[in-house]
Amino acid sequence: MEIVKVNLGRRSYSIHLGEKLSQVGRIVKELDIGKKILLVSDSKVFRYYGETVKKSLEKQGCGVFVAKIPPGEKYKSLNQAIKLYEKCVRTKLERGSAILALGGGVINDLAGFVAATYLRGINFIALPTTLLAQVDASIGGKVGVDLSQAKNLVGSFYQPGAVLIDSETLKTLPSREIKNGLSEVVKYGIIKDKSLFEYLEKNLEKIKKLDISSLQRIIEKSVRIKAGIVSRDEREEEGEREILNFGHTIGHSIETAGDYRNYRHGEAVSIGMLKATEIAVAMHLCPSDLLLRIEKLLRRIGLSTRIEKISKRKIYQGLFLDKKKRGGKLHFILPRELGDVFICENVPFHLIRKVLQK
Ligand SMILES: NC(=O)c1ccc[n+]([C@@H]2O[C@H](COP(=O)([O-])OP(=O)(O)OC[C@H]3O[C@@H](n4cnc5c(N)ncnc54)[C@H](O)[C@@H]3O)[C@@H](O)[C@H]2O)c1
Ligand SMILES: [Zn+2]
């Protein structure tokens, strides 16, 4: 068991790695928060792990209320948030009470958003059960819901009181979801940690077979990287947090252009990372063998490396909708070498069109 700290000025919180979900009661007790808990989960995840979590909390004398949401991104909505607020009122949650999120990124963001806003903020604890949520969504405090116009349009920065990562839960995760999370792990390797990238290259077969110690190793490395970045730039104001968007400029546009039906987030980011690297190579900012090496790893994982069934023109146009949101400049995170990226604001438009056409 390892503890990684996220330090935010006067506040800090712990990420408990390699901890069992059955230990959640003890962790809640140590936090010394109220004994009333709303456990939010998706119905599929709850079927696997709900009772373990509930029992562990009850053993410590907590009163546990459960809210089950159907699985799926479409439930990361204001409608579901309202239903959760109503449940908070009915169960008389108070400022000292806590919301626990048991599930993937959808549950993390939705339950975190309700915790951030109900009574102007109650305690929040994350119990992520997908690889993507364990290495990314549960760390860093971005919470929110989607609107019909776009994803993550309403939200806040709201840090949890603790995060408990039980990697054994990944044993029940479908392989497409494992790949989805691995895409973000590859990203961490490229932006900050050459040794993580090399570890993936060497141990991919074990990881794909869900060997727990290899999974724990990549989760720990990823969590340390994200926790470090968030500790230095909590609200994406200093520039450093923006490097987490490597592969996401084009990736987001691919997701939006495909109406979130064709590609999972990690799959779109996989293509986005390749396109960003192609741009860097074309601008003579990084060597072409880096592109080949990244592409090889993504292919071995089984991630998408090509845009299919989506209009490339739509993806290109989507980039400029995103641009408006960022004060008029289109930002790309480009690699120099493994473990080293930088923010580039002057990628020529013709080059973007060219790499999208490939
Ligand atoms: N807050 C952040 O910083 C941040 C970062 C990245 C992504 N996100 C958000 O995360 C969301 C995507 O998260 P996700 O990929 O985890 O998807 P998800 O929450 O929809 O989970 C994917 C699927 O896996 C199932 N599942 C979850 N855990 C399981 C387990 N252990 N065993 C079996 N099945 C399990 C779920 O029921 C669901 O069907 C998006 O909404 C995205 O915007 C947020
Ligand atoms: Zn991402």
Side-chain angles (χ1 to χ4, degrees), residues 151-168:
K151 267 185 67 170
N152 298 321
L153 218 47
V154 174
S156 182
F157 286 96
Y158 194 69
Q159 302 291 343
V163 181
L164 185 163
I165 299 182
D166 180 351
S167 3
E168 298 272 353

Side-chain angles (χ1 to χ4, degrees), residues 297-314:
L297 181 60
L298 294 171
R299 272 186 203 283
R300 281 178 64 207
I301 292 173
L303 279 159
S304 335
T305 53
R306 291 177 65 85
I307 303 167
E308 274 160 278
K309 293 188 221 146
I310 300 183
S311 146
K312 287 163 183 166
R313 199 167 53 93
K314 214 168 160 191

Side-chain angles (χ1 to χ4, degrees), residues 2 25 38 41 46 56 88 123 164 198 203-204 208 226 233 246 257 264 273 287 326 339 346 358:
E2 290 279 337
L38 179 63
S41 189
F46 191 85
S56 165
C88 293
N123 296 300
L164 185 163
E198 289 168 347
N203 297 280
L204 191 61
K208 281 167 95 175
K226 181 146 186 198
D233 183 14
F246 174 60
R264 299 279 299 135
M273 290 191 288
R326 292 164 185 267
N346 52 8
K358 273 200 188 166

Side-chain angles (χ1 to χ4, degrees), residues 81-328:
I82 290 169
K83 286 189 183 167
L84 288 173
Y85 292 136
E86 285 166 356
K87 182 108 184 177
C88 293
V89 176
R90 276 202 306 280
T91 52
K92 300 194 174 62
L93 289 201
E94 299 156 2
R95 284 299 282 278
S97 308
I99 289 184
L100 267 61
L102 173 68
V106 166
I107 292 298
N108 178 83
D109 290 11
L110 171 67
F113 178 69
V114 171
T117 44
Y118 186 67
L119 300 179
R120 298 197 182 82
I122 64 174
N123 296 300
F124 174 52
I125 292 162
L127 312 173
T129 62
T130 62
L131 182 58
L132 184 100
Q134 296 188 352
V135 298
D136 193 357
S138 67
I139 299 146
K142 283 191 183 174
V143 296
V145 294
D146 304 335
L147 298 186
S148 58
Q149 292 83 352
K151 267 185 67 170
N152 298 321
L153 218 47
V154 174
S156 182
F157 286 96
Y158 194 69
Q159 302 291 343
V163 181
L164 185 163
I165 299 182
D166 180 351
S167 3
E168 298 272 353
T169 58
L170 302 181
K171 295 264 181 200
T172 53
L173 197 63
S175 75
R176 187 173 184 189
E177 299 300 333
I178 296 284
K179 292 177 196 166
N180 188 35
L182 280 175
S183 179
E184 299 284 356
V185 180
V186 172
K187 177 192 82 179
Y188 289 125
I190 299 170
I191 65 172
K192 271 277 183 222
D193 187 348
K194 186 177 178 194
S195 75
L196 171 56
F197 192 94
E198 289 168 347
Y199 185 86
L200 287 169
E201 288 180 318
K202 283 201 193 93
N203 297 280
L204 191 61
E205 297 319 312
K206 279 205 278 179
I207 293 166
K208 281 167 95 175
K209 285 186 194 138
L210 305 182
D211 169 67
I212 282 295
S213 73
S214 323
L215 281 171
Q216 282 176 340
R217 179 87 179 264
I218 60 171
I219 292 168
E220 182 187 341
K221 278 175 169 280
S222 303
V223 163
R224 285 192 191 280
I225 292 168
K226 181 146 186 198
I229 292 175
V230 170
S231 296
R232 293 184 291 270
D233 183 14
E234 182 185 356
R235 289 173 174 251
E236 217 165 292
E237 288 160 348
E238 312 294 325
E240 188 179 356
R241 193 165 174 163
E242 201 182 330
I243 67 169
L244 292 167
N245 289 336
F246 174 60
H248 285 59
T249 311
I250 288 179
H252 278 153
S253 203
I254 292 175
E255 281 184 284
T256 315
D259 261 342
Y260 300 96
R261 277 195 294 266
N262 303 50
Y263 292 98
R264 299 279 299 135
H265 177 71
E267 295 165 350
V269 167
S270 166
I271 300 172
M273 290 191 288
L274 282 175
K275 297 296 171 198
T277 311
E278 276 176 43
I279 289 172
V281 171
M283 291 174 80
H284 305 289
L285 299 166
C286 92
S288 56
D289 36 339
L290 181 65
L291 176 63
L292 297 176
R293 199 167 163 190
I294 296 175
E295 183 166 8
K296 187 170 173 202
L297 181 60
L298 294 171
R299 272 186 203 283
R300 281 178 64 207
I301 292 173
L303 279 159
S304 335
T305 53
R306 291 177 65 85
I307 303 167
E308 274 160 278
K309 293 188 221 146
I310 300 183
S311 146
K312 287 163 183 166
R313 199 167 53 93
K314 214 168 160 191
I315 298 172
Y316 181 72
Q317 286 167 348
L319 291 173
F320 293 88
L321 297 175
D322 213 33
K323 176 183 145 179
K324 279 198 206 113
K325 284 190 239 150
R326 292 164 185 267

Side-chain angles (χ1 to χ4, degrees), residues 69-80 106 110 146 260:
I69 315 279
E73 182 74 32
K74 73 169 183 215
Y75 297 100
K76 199 175 111 177
S77 66
L78 276 177
N79 260 344
Q80 289 300 324
V106 166
L110 171 67
D146 304 335
Y260 300 96

